Amino acid sequence: MGRVEDRGTAGAGGLGPRHQCPASSWDQVGSQATGRHGAPSQKCLKPEPDAPSQPGPALWSRGLAHTQALVGGSSLQHLDPENTGFIGADTFAGLVHSHELPLDPAKLDMLVALAQSNEQGQVCYQELVDLISSKRSSSFKRAIANGQRALPRDGLLDEPGLGVYKRFVRYVAYEILPCEVDRRWYFYRHRSCPPPVFMASVTLAQIIVFLCYGARLNKWVLQTYHPEYMKSPLVYHPGHRARAWRFLTYMFMHVGLEQLGFNALLQLMIGVPLEMVHGLLRISLLYLAGVLAGSLTVSITDMRAPVVGGSGGVYALCSAHLANVVMNWAGMRCPYKLLRMVLALVCMSSEVGRAVWLRFSPPLPASGPQPSFMAHLAGAVVGVSMGLTILRSYEERLRDQCGWWVVLLAYGTFLLFAVFWNVFAYDLLGAHIPPPP
């Protein structure tokens, strides 16, 4: 019985411990291919190493080198005599039996799922090269979904001798990802650099701004009732719509200590783990899309109201995560998930109810309308649509998914409509907005 192990060589897509592959898993892969012959359902072309259009030549060449190590010098024409671009799963299992490769355990599990998922008992050569090259696509997600549920190794919870940081990474994997193969993939490929700087930086900036205005106004609760508060260049006010930066910078201002504490807690508890798993670009895009949608929605539905607070972005993150948990309920392994789901919904609903109360029944006399609550709802809609698409596409290219382009088209249409509304509708409708401070 051969072994697939990580020798610590470069180009393998991650460093992991020596991995012993159980014979039963590969025997099962080979047995599933027995008696299943016929043309594959889709054409999978072999890559051409000399083709100038081949993307990522360095990455592709590393994958090709490791794939050639897998075939052990055998002729690719011998493995695929009909030049279909597929390798039989029984042949594939035999190659892994007889060779050692620098593969981390997560990739080995992916190879098993990939081999088990094909109805004709064949492995696409290009998909094999892509996986060795650390290039994942939606085909690997389908392979996991359609493959055998019993993976060749126990779960990450059985990993012994982990340090404090590695245990935290394992905790994040179980909190965010619904599939054991994805959790293993993330665990073995995670690097501490770069750290999740976006959510930490946004939270720190919000705290600093709040402390500065609290000291300046000598008011820490319900700051919006202070006459000088709305004069801040960061607050969105309908009278200052031409100052476009306010549609985003309002996220640094907060009604008071209670709203800041709620948003900061959720950003750190949910936003930081999401950024660790899905990366800075995707999570920052989701957060800022929720913030922008929040202010634009207020400018359309509550034309006289200002907006403060990062609730649009926070609700985008939270609603996306909660929707992902609900849709993958059976696969999520986070403890007490039902109780935590109920508590999260109660807290989010309470914050919305508090915002509605402050908007329509202000407890103190004010010089103008209080901040709107519509940013919360807009952020939740962005999270359920755009956010859910992002979270369900772990390590997959978004541009290859039709749903992503549908979401972008819908969001772009909304932005275009909101811009025209802010430019023309206020004058056409004769909206009576409070004078800008």
Side-chain angles (χ1 to χ4, degrees):
M1 174 59 197
R3 290 175 299 182
V4 180
E5 64 180 48
D6 188 336
R7 298 187 186 123
T9 57
L15 301 178
R18 294 177 66 90
H19 180 76
Q20 180 72 32
C21 177
S24 58
S25 300
W26 295 111
D27 293 340
Q28 187 180 19
V29 174
S31 64
Q32 288 182 345
T34 304
R36 291 188 293 187
H37 300 286
S41 58
Q42 60 177 342
K43 186 67 174 175
C44 180
L45 300 177
K46 287 185 179 180
E48 297 294 340
D50 297 330
S53 61
Q54 184 70 25
L59 181 65
W60 185 90
S61 61
R62 290 200 302 269
L64 181 60
H66 289 292
T67 308
Q68 289 174 341
L70 173 64
V71 302
S74 302
S75 170
L76 296 179
Q77 184 66 26
H78 174 71
L79 297 175
D80 183 18
E82 298 181 1
N83 197 31
T84 63
F86 285 83
I87 303 174
D90 49 355
T91 304
F92 171 77
L95 291 174
V96 179
H97 267 299
S98 57
H99 292 82
E100 292 185 350
L101 283 179
L103 283 178
D104 62 40
K107 286 188 178 180
L108 179 61
D109 292 346
M110 292 291 291
L111 287 174
V112 175
L114 191 64
Q116 291 173 339
S117 66
N118 189 273
E119 294 180 356
Q120 284 78 30
Q122 296 172 318
V123 178
C124 176
Y125 179 80
Q126 181 60 62
E127 290 180 345
L128 179 60
V129 173
D130 288 348
L131 181 59
I132 303 294
S133 308
S134 299
K135 221 173 67 175
R136 296 181 65 187
S137 63
S138 59
S139 60
F140 298 117
K141 183 176 181 179
R142 291 194 299 269
I144 299 171
N146 300 329
Q148 294 296 319
R149 298 298 181 183
L151 296 174
R153 296 193 61 182
D154 295 331
L156 285 178
L157 292 177
D158 301 319
E159 289 282 350
L162 298 179
V164 175
Y165 182 73
K166 269 301 185 181
R167 287 201 296 269
F168 176 69
V169 172
R170 182 178 62 183
Y171 164 80
V172 169
Y174 276 95
E175 285 289 314
I176 303 299
L177 296 171
C179 176
E180 183 66 25
V181 173
D182 281 343
R183 288 192 283 259
R184 299 195 66 83
W185 179 276
Y186 167 73
F187 180 80
Y188 285 105
R189 287 179 52 83
H190 175 76
R191 299 292 181 268
S192 57
C193 186
V197 295
F198 176 75
M199 294 310 308
S201 300
V202 168
T203 304
L204 180 61
Q206 291 171 342
I207 293 175
I208 292 175
V209 170
F210 176 79
L211 293 177
C212 291
Y213 275 90
R216 176 184 173 185
L217 304 177
N218 195 25
K219 191 174 182 64
W220 305 97
V221 178
L222 299 179
Q223 289 184 347
T224 53
Y225 289 91
H226 196 285
E228 298 294 322
Y229 182 86
M230 288 298 172
K231 294 182 179 180
S232 169
L234 302 178
V235 174
Y236 166 79
H237 190 279
H240 290 307
R241 299 189 314 280
R243 302 174 183 179
W245 70 83
R246 291 176 179 254
F247 285 91
L248 283 175
T249 57
Y250 78 92
M251 70 179 185
F252 296 109
M253 304 291 290
H254 287 82
V255 173
L257 183 62
E258 64 286 353
Q259 186 190 26
L260 173 65
F262 179 81
N263 287 347
L265 182 64
L266 290 180
Q267 286 173 178
L268 295 178
M269 292 185 60
I270 296 180
V272 169
L274 286 176
E275 186 179 348
M276 289 178 62
V277 173
H278 296 282
L280 182 147
L281 291 179
R282 292 189 177 190
I283 299 305
S284 61
L285 173 64
L286 175 59
Y287 185 88
L288 294 177
V291 170
L292 183 59
S295 57
L296 290 176
T297 300
V298 171
S299 70
I300 296 172
T301 61
D302 198 356
M303 300 170 66
R304 302 183 69 248
V307 189
V308 296
S311 298
V314 170
Y315 274 64
L317 296 177
C318 293
S319 60
H321 178 57
L322 294 180
N324 190 43
V325 170
V326 171
M327 295 187 66
N328 299 279
W329 189 262
M332 298 301 293
R333 297 287 301 277
C334 47
Y336 309 109
K337 55 185 176 182
L338 179 59
L339 176 61
R340 294 164 63 182
M341 174 75 70
V342 172
L343 289 177
L345 292 176
V346 169
C347 291
M348 294 172 66
S349 302
S350 301
E351 173 63 17
V352 174
R354 174 183 169 279
V356 174
W357 170 64
L358 291 178
R359 173 67 179 89
F360 295 110
S361 299
L364 298 175
S367 57
Q370 288 301 295
S372 176
F373 60 91
M374 289 302 298
H376 301 69
L377 305 182
V381 172
V382 170
V384 173
S385 55
M386 179 186 294
L388 188 58
T389 303
I390 291 176
L391 299 194
R392 290 171 61 86
S393 305
Y394 169 64
E395 289 231 342
E396 297 176 16
R397 292 186 293 266
L398 290 173
R399 65 177 181 271
D400 294 340
Q401 303 185 41
C402 179
W404 173 246
W405 294 107
V406 172
V407 170
L408 283 187
L409 178 61
Y411 191 82
T413 303
F414 165 73
L415 291 183
L416 187 61
F417 172 79
V419 169
F420 276 92
W421 182 274
N422 279 273
V423 173
F424 300 108
Y426 279 74
D427 293 333
L428 293 177
L429 298 177
H432 298 286
I433 60 176

